[in-house]
Amino acid sequence: MRFSILNRDSSSRARTGILHLPHGDVPTPVFMPVGTNGTVKAIETDDLKEIGFNIILSNTYHLYLRPGEEVIEKAGGLHSFMNWDRNILTDSGGFQIYSLSALRKISDEGAWFQSHVDGSKHFISPEKAVLIQSILGSDIQMQLDYCSAWGASRKECEKALRITTDWLGRAINKWNEVTLDGKYSGSLFSIVQGNFFPDLRQQSAETCINSGTPGIAIGGLSVGEPAELFHETLSYTAAFLPEEKPRYVMGIGTPEYILNAIEHGIDMFDCVILTREARNGRVYTRKGPFALKKAENTFDFTPIDKECGCKICKEYSRAYLRHLFKTGEILYSMLATYHNLYFINELVTNCRNAIAEGRFLEYKKEFLSMYKEGNDD
């Protein structure tokens, strides 16, 4: 993997670049839709391409349980299996293990966990996480990490960081092994942990830098902490990371968080919120998100967003979309998902343009001023 930096904003750490990956170039900053089970819910791969996405995220934990890496291997890899000829980033399953705290046990060797599907017990090590992701054919794969919870004690966070550091070394060794014959060309990213202790964050960042991985992710954020602490920790952590490597913040997807991350030099982000909220009757506009399912939209024959250029806004009214939602029609989820993903991709594209023109902070201020005007939160 190569990363080229194209533009830098003069008044912030924002920058644009290009990720050169096995399945094509990816302009950054970039939002990655989440395709947990090998599909971004309620949207076809052709529509993802039409919107302009060149990379999506899939989940190792879920694909390992269903359909299993053996099925995907026989299909020729995840790209072939899901009919997606562009890039795929896969997480390691570490966050899912974290979220299943009542069903897992972590040791130095790896993590035992109980399947949320059928209750069966499984073990995943940093080596196994690398192997599964290489079978999937991930263009970017993540190391297995130990994410500690918001509010965890320093002792617990120190233990989690020690294990994450050890797992990184083991993951790199396994990655070197699986790429030796040249058949697999995906890259491995390290992950900064350390909870919300600044010195642990710095220690973890330095470990990731010294490991030599071609990209570095900032993990352990957006786990229930206050927004101010999120932004403070993100800013502090990002400042340690090298300029020449792509930086990835895991699990953020709202405009406020994305704009703040870009300001601090973050290049990549993902989240399920845009697609999940679409399916639940909430859509995003330049003047803020709103609940399409509300009765006030019953006789509203205007589009979701009059200034949006997506085909959904050109062809369908709020009244019709609300009708589809209230009657449980599958088409509703497809149309709303398309719109929300178009919205976020357009936002990130506009950010890239603003950075190139040297006016990112001006664009951020203008966008948020309008966005907060109609936000029904």
Side-chain angles (χ1 to χ4, degrees), residues 332-376:
Y332 165 77
S333 293
M334 297 169 65
L335 300 180
T337 296
Y338 186 105
H339 169 79
N340 277 2
L341 288 179
Y342 184 98
F343 166 85
I344 205 67
N345 186 66
E346 183 179 43
L347 169 64
V348 175
T349 299
N350 289 340
C351 286
R352 292 199 296 265
N353 294 336
I355 295 167
E357 295 167 3
R359 57 177 192 87
F360 172 73
L361 290 183
E362 179 185 347
Y363 172 75
K364 176 188 175 186
K365 182 178 179 181
E366 291 173 354
F367 178 89
L368 289 178
S369 176
M370 180 179 291
Y371 184 76
K372 292 177 180 178
E373 174 185 324
N375 192 325
D376 65 8

Side-chain angles (χ1 to χ4, degrees), residues 19 21 62 75 102 117 151 158 167 192 227 231 263 265 277 310 319 346 354:
L19 283 166
L21 296 172
H62 289 279
V117 178
E158 288 175 341
W167 285 358
V192 177
H231 296 305
E263 181 178 348
E277 291 202 336
C310 81
E346 183 179 43

Side-chain angles (χ1 to χ4, degrees), residues 43 46-53 337-339 341-342 345:
I43 190 167
D46 284 348
D47 281 340
L48 291 171
K49 294 177 187 178
E50 183 177 275
I51 292 171
F53 292 109
T337 296
Y338 186 105
H339 169 79
L341 288 179
Y342 184 98
N345 186 66

